[in-house]
Amino acid sequence: MKKYSFKNDYSEGCHPNILEALIKTNLVQQNGYGYDEYSDQARELIKQKMNHQNADIHFISGGTQANLLVISSILRAHESVVSAETGHIFTNETGAIEATGHKVHGLVTEDGKLTPEHIQSVLDTHTNKPHQVKQKLVYVSNSTEVGTIYIKKELQELSAFCKANDLYLFMDGARLGQALTSEINDLTLEDIASLTDVFYLGGTKNGALLGEAIIITNDKLKEEFGFHIKQKGAMLAKGRLLGIQFLELMKNDLYFDLAKHSNVQAMKIKSAFQNKGFQFLSDTFTNQIFPILNNSQIEKLSENFDFYIWKKIDEENSAIRLITSWATSDEVVEEFIGEVSLL
């Protein structure tokens, strides 16, 4: 029996609508480099959904690439970025930001989310200008690397703090679909467009073969961004490959339907662990959950399912990470829940 993987969002391919659209349009000639009609239509749909016609939208291939492009284009040589210690740019991108010469201030947080108080602590210890780097950008993820989300009040407070302190606010949206469709979410796409300077909609983790949509709402950051995309090798010659995918995902809110499905499947599994009395590393309402199990229980579940051991709690117990995808079926979830019931 082949194991079912809960390791990440990449175990499946793409939604069938995308494959059908790619085949149907395969022999239709289009302009390259993202100037095709499909990319234009996708941009227009995204603008409509966030009620922001003046945004600049760029389609690129992946999340690390998006983070690198945005941050390196914004920061000057002496400027730095503030992130939670769990942030993707701090833990999982091989020092991509540091490689461009910019310091990342990684801050310890309880739930993966930054607050104005966190950021202020960095500002307070970097007052000896010009002998220390200048903080210029705040990086947040929604949902975070530990599955938590920002509610509207939290993002409003961050946005106000950044504006008051001449900082840009950038949201990593690799799992933004899951954040926006979480049962506890009160943010809209329009809210995020108005409260951040730049963010992106992740497609790779939500039904696409590949692709992220970088959305720039601050006019100061729009100019010459295309040069950064080209210079760093991120301008896809056959940009239609990305445009077609986002066009299909935006049609009839497929993007949000897929994200909601992945959340619902995760919450079924979460309930199964709760009913058995298990504790969690963090209380999440998205498609990532982190139950704490002992070694024998982890070994038992590993017989038929793959997942990561996320954090060792002590010699006997660890938190595992389970990620459900847009394609995780009811049958798989029921089978896994059956295994949980036997622990």
Side-chain angles (χ1 to χ4, degrees), residues 259-280:
K260 184 176 181 179
H261 173 81
S262 63
N263 288 345
V264 168
Q265 301 299 64
M267 292 304 97
K268 292 177 184 177
I269 296 173
K270 178 182 176 181
S271 294
F273 279 109
Q274 287 176 324
N275 292 338
K276 292 284 290 185
F278 287 98
Q279 300 298 308
F280 294 81

Side-chain angles (χ1 to χ4, degrees), residues 154-331:
E154 292 169 334
L155 193 61
Q156 286 174 328
E157 291 173 349
L158 271 179
S159 180
F161 180 88
C162 287
K163 286 180 171 62
N165 289 276
D166 194 27
L167 299 166
Y168 293 119
L169 181 58
F170 168 41
M171 178 178 284
D172 177 329
R175 293 190 177 93
L176 189 53
Q178 285 76 11
L180 290 173
T181 56
S182 169
E183 63 186 71
I184 64 168
N185 173 64
D186 63 351
L187 278 168
T188 65
L189 199 56
E190 184 175 354
D191 291 330
I192 292 171
S194 67
L195 294 171
T196 66
D197 296 287
V198 55
F199 69 101
Y200 68 91
L201 277 174
T204 313
K205 295 181 184 294
N206 194 36
L209 282 172
L210 74 163
E212 323 295 307
I214 297 174
I215 301 167
I216 306 174
T217 56
N218 187 323
D219 291 340
K220 293 180 181 179
L221 306 182
K222 295 176 183 178
E223 188 176 357
E224 300 187 347
F225 189 73
F227 288 95
H228 294 276
I229 296 176
K230 181 65 177 182
Q231 189 178 70
K232 290 181 172 61
M235 186 172 287
L236 199 63
K238 295 185 180 181
R240 60 193 285 163
L241 174 63
L242 299 172
I244 288 169
Q245 292 186 82
F246 273 95
L247 178 57
E248 290 302 314
L249 288 172
M250 291 297 114
K251 283 181 181 177
N252 304 313
D253 286 334
L254 177 63
Y255 182 82
F256 302 101
D257 290 341
L258 297 181
K260 184 176 181 179
H261 173 81
S262 63
N263 288 345
V264 168
Q265 301 299 64
M267 292 304 97
K268 292 177 184 177
I269 296 173
K270 178 182 176 181
S271 294
F273 279 109
Q274 287 176 324
N275 292 338
K276 292 284 290 185
F278 287 98
Q279 300 298 308
F280 294 81
L281 184 65
S282 56
D283 190 22
T284 67
F285 294 87
T286 57
N287 68 321
Q288 296 186 87
I289 60 173
F290 300 83
I292 299 172
L293 286 70
N294 63 42
N295 294 338
S296 62
Q297 291 166 336
I298 291 173
E299 184 177 352
K300 178 62 178 175
L301 285 181
S302 297
E303 291 176 3
N304 295 316
F305 299 92
D306 280 335
F307 46 80
Y308 284 118
I309 296 177
W310 188 254
K311 183 178 181 180
K312 188 174 182 179
I313 306 300
D314 53 42
E315 288 300 318
E316 292 296 322
N317 301 281
S318 297
I320 66 170
R321 182 181 73 169
L322 301 167
I323 296 183
T324 50
S325 81
W326 62 270
T328 302
S329 68
D330 291 335
E331 291 76 15

Side-chain angles (χ1 to χ4, degrees), residues 125-178:
T125 56
H126 289 77
T127 59
N128 191 21
K129 303 295 192 299
H131 304 287
Q132 293 175 295
V133 291
K134 176 184 177 181
Q135 292 71 53
K136 188 61 180 177
L137 185 145
V138 173
Y139 166 93
V140 298
S141 304
N142 199 27
S143 61
T144 70
E145 290 300 303
V146 292
T148 53
I149 68 169
Y150 286 87
I151 60 173
K152 188 172 183 177
K153 182 176 182 292
E154 292 169 334
L155 193 61
Q156 286 174 328
E157 291 173 349
L158 271 179
S159 180
F161 180 88
C162 287
K163 286 180 171 62
N165 289 276
D166 194 27
L167 299 166
Y168 293 119
L169 181 58
F170 168 41
M171 178 178 284
D172 177 329
R175 293 190 177 93
L176 189 53
Q178 285 76 11

